[in-house]
Amino acid sequence: MLENPPAWLPGDDRLRRFLGDSALYPFYRLKLTGYVSSLLPPGPCSILDVGAGDGSLGLVFQTFRPGTTVFGIEVALRAATRQGVRMVRFDGRSIPFLDGSFDVSLVSNVLHHASDPAALLREVRRVTRKRIIVKDHLSAGRLDDLKLAALDVLGNLRLGAQVAAVYLTRQRWDELFASLPGVRVSTFEHLPFRRGLLELFFSSSLEVIFALDIDRRGTAPTA
Ligand SMILES: C[S@@+](CC[C@H](N)C(=O)[O-])C[C@H]1O[C@@H](n2cnc3c(N)ncnc32)[C@H](O)[C@@H]1O
């Protein structure tokens, strides 16, 4: 179970205005923002937003969460990147920061677009001190793949963002995390991301959030 969104997060109306027109389906963005907010560890926090898109998600934390700094990295910088977002371009494989540079890394709807998600995740692990928050999809087969591809086309094409994707099954996620040294995985499934007819067709079983807690006594990060 996820805790309720923290007190610092603005209410839905204000948050919707803050997120602006970056979202085709604002309800999804509001939910996503709330879920990720409740997974940020307590206290001051530096966040690496991997595949940050226009940077709006990280900007919420930087703006409203006390003591929070956010840095974004992207393979394709967008003209519509939000003002106030600090972001650099990278090659999608090597993260241009030293080991343990950030308390938290956020990887929201990115890994299914990465050509080598395991390699990217190892890099994210290397630069993260406390927790990696992964929001992504769960596919149970061909029909789910088609539904998720439709969602990616609807959500990403108009932004000029990447559409090509490989959606992982539960088993593939387990294998991916098992290959990562020194992390403890918590899985959050069946979280409402849509409502009404949309939820009926694109069920919440397609969405998943993982919190990967770095075991400080664990294996040293690989370079
Ligand atoms: C669906 S958007 C998600 C944007 C943002 N994280 C969010 O949740 O709003 C996926 C983003 O991942 C980026 N991307 C694709 N492959 C990537 C990779 N290998 N490494 C980092 N970002 C990647 C794309 O350029 C795109 O902006």
Side-chain angles (χ1 to χ4, degrees):
M1 274 288 281
L2 274 182
E3 287 174 20
N4 288 331
W8 54 261
L9 191 68
D12 282 357
D13 286 344
R14 186 165 171 219
L15 196 53
R16 195 186 300 253
R17 282 196 300 278
F18 185 85
L19 289 167
D21 57 5
S22 65
L24 186 63
Y25 185 51
F27 183 80
Y28 181 100
R29 297 295 293 175
L30 291 176
K31 289 292 175 192
L32 173 64
T33 309
Y35 299 146
V36 174
S37 299
S38 64
L39 284 170
L40 294 173
C45 185
S46 57
I47 302 175
L48 178 68
D49 189 359
V50 180
D54 71 356
S56 55
L57 191 54
L59 194 59
V60 170
F61 309 134
Q62 186 173 286
T63 306
F64 298 108
R65 189 179 185 279
T68 305
T69 56
V70 182
F71 212 100
I73 52 174
E74 244 302 337
V75 291
L77 292 181
R78 299 184 192 174
T81 299
R82 297 284 299 266
Q83 213 167 9
V85 171
R86 285 177 297 170
M87 179 130 56
V88 291
R89 192 170 178 280
F90 85 121
D91 63 6
R93 298 185 68 89
S94 307
I95 297 181
F97 291 104
L98 298 174
D99 294 2
S101 292
F102 298 90
D103 294 311
V104 171
S105 289
L106 170 62
V107 195
S108 167
N109 286 330
V110 170
L111 285 177
H112 58 273
H113 294 300
S115 54
D116 188 345
L120 179 57
L121 208 47
R122 276 198 301 276
E123 267 293 89
V124 173
R125 160 76 176 86
R126 180 183 66 76
V127 299
T128 311
R129 279 195 295 274
K130 292 182 181 168
R131 177 174 277 188
I132 303 168
I133 301 171
V134 175
K135 156 67 188 67
D136 216 283
H137 298 300
L138 269 184
S139 170
R142 189 80 191 118
L143 182 59
D144 284 356
D145 286 348
L146 289 172
K147 289 181 180 183
L148 289 166
L151 287 175
D152 260 330
V153 168
L154 283 172
N156 292 349
L157 204 57
R158 76 201 166 92
L159 302 171
Q162 198 168 335
V163 169
V166 175
Y167 306 105
L168 300 189
T169 60
R170 184 57 193 260
Q171 187 186 340
R172 287 283 294 113
W173 280 115
D174 288 345
E175 288 166 4
L176 190 61
F177 296 142
S179 71
L180 214 55
V183 297
R184 197 179 63 251
V185 183
S186 306
T187 305
F188 302 93
E189 293 179 72
H190 301 292
L191 301 166
F193 273 94
R194 285 172 281 272
R195 53 188 170 182
L197 275 181
L198 267 183
E199 163 60 20
L200 219 60
F201 195 68
F202 299 105
S203 123
S204 52
S205 64
L206 296 169
E207 312 290 335
V208 66
I209 297 181
F210 302 102
L212 312 182
D213 286 308
I214 312 285
D215 180 355
R216 289 178 197 202
R217 296 157 305 145
T219 319
T222 50

